[in-house]
Amino acid sequence: MSLKSSNKTDVNTTELVISIDAEAFEAAVEKEYQRQKKNIQIKGFRKGKVSRKLAEREFGEGAFYEGAINALIGPEIDAAVKETGIVLVDRPNVEINSIDKENGVELKAVCVTKPEIEISDYKGIKAAKVVNEITDEDIDKQIDIIRKKNARIVSVDDRAAQLNDEVTIDFEGFFGDEAFEGGKGEDHPLRLGSGQFIPGFEDQIVGHNIGDEFDVVVTFPEDYQMADYAGKEATFKTKLKAISYEELPEINDDLIKDATEFETVEEYRNDIKTKLEEAAENQANSSFENAVMNAIIEKVDAPIPNCMFEQRIDAHIRQFEQQLGAQGMDIKLYFQYTGMDMDSFRETYRERAINEVKLRLALEKIAELEGLEPTEDEINSGLADIAASNKVDVETIKRFIPLDDYVDDLRVQKAVDFIKENAVVDNSLAEDKKDAE
């Protein structure tokens, strides 16, 4: 292989001209002939016994050129890319400039290259880190979960229905005198105040007693999912058949002993408070990191090849399809349910993909500028963790994962840690945002 020229023809585009000498080309053609030989058949000759010279006379001199060139392209372009030092982000577009036995082959490869990112002022980024205070009300909400789990259902027959009661009803909906599809139900459970039904429906059950038969008159919302019903007034012939309510137990040491691992209400409340405080701290850290990373993304304004965004979208869709597969569904069925198609679905990932690509490029550049490199111990420790989680040895993991990509990921994580360590907490930014809202 001889790299004849390397020219940057556009932003993030480099054109390579590669020559393959006649000797190398001839060797590739002979290898391709030998590969196809067993399947070649010409009248008067047994299958697999046709000489190359005869095959070329029968099918043309270039009978084996395509296969030979296809075998050469990958290694030749890899060698040229390595020689120039460019980094590809997509498969090159290859054209054949010339081809003959005497002079060999000349290829032109148009390569989309990784963009050069310039980034500065990435140290000392300011962001808010607000840790929400845990109140007694927050703790009470968690305790109410225990109460609800241990609640008992009490039937009512001596009073009218109230908000938050669980009722059982029969109903049938009418537009005028005509019943409409999907508007009928029998022995339907409904918690009053849940908002499960059309606005106003549940309120009109309040005050009725078991056995009452009455009309509930409501208007379907203008944005109702069934366009034929949107904005129409409907009358539901309704019968109230049962009323019950949820009786929550008193919170005391006995309940806590029975329902948790703790002995007293005080111990349980203290544990809840500790866990909520940890969660609030984690949430604050996450929000702080997101704000800092968003600031990094905003610093990236270099032109980026669109193929990088499309590849990232592809990765998200593959992951989504795997999740659907685990649920016994495929993407076509998902589109039927949602009314989407692949183009519109891809657009839902576009902004996320753009930000992820920009952030990755920025972090790689910062790692380069700061000389951030994982140590041998860090690399081996990470590989050991991966091996343990997959129940194999480290050498097996090394054979199955791209080590260069793995090390790149560690390098990027070091850049993340570096930026966070150098970021500055400024909670006045949270106040400014609150005032702006």
Side-chain angles (χ1 to χ4, degrees), residues 127-128 283-295 413 416 420:
Q283 177 60 45
N285 287 333
S286 178
S287 296
F288 176 74
E289 179 176 337
N290 288 339
V292 171
M293 294 304 140
N294 285 335
Q413 185 56 52
V416 171
K420 285 163 45 179

Side-chain angles (χ1 to χ4, degrees), residues 150-159 164-167 210 242-249:
N150 291 272
R152 69 187 188 98
I153 304 301
V154 180
S155 296
V156 174
D157 58 12
D158 58 353
R159 67 165 173 81
N164 295 316
D165 280 346
E166 184 84 22
V167 299
I210 294 173
I243 305 172
S244 62
Y245 69 94
E246 192 177 59
E247 184 177 75
L248 300 178

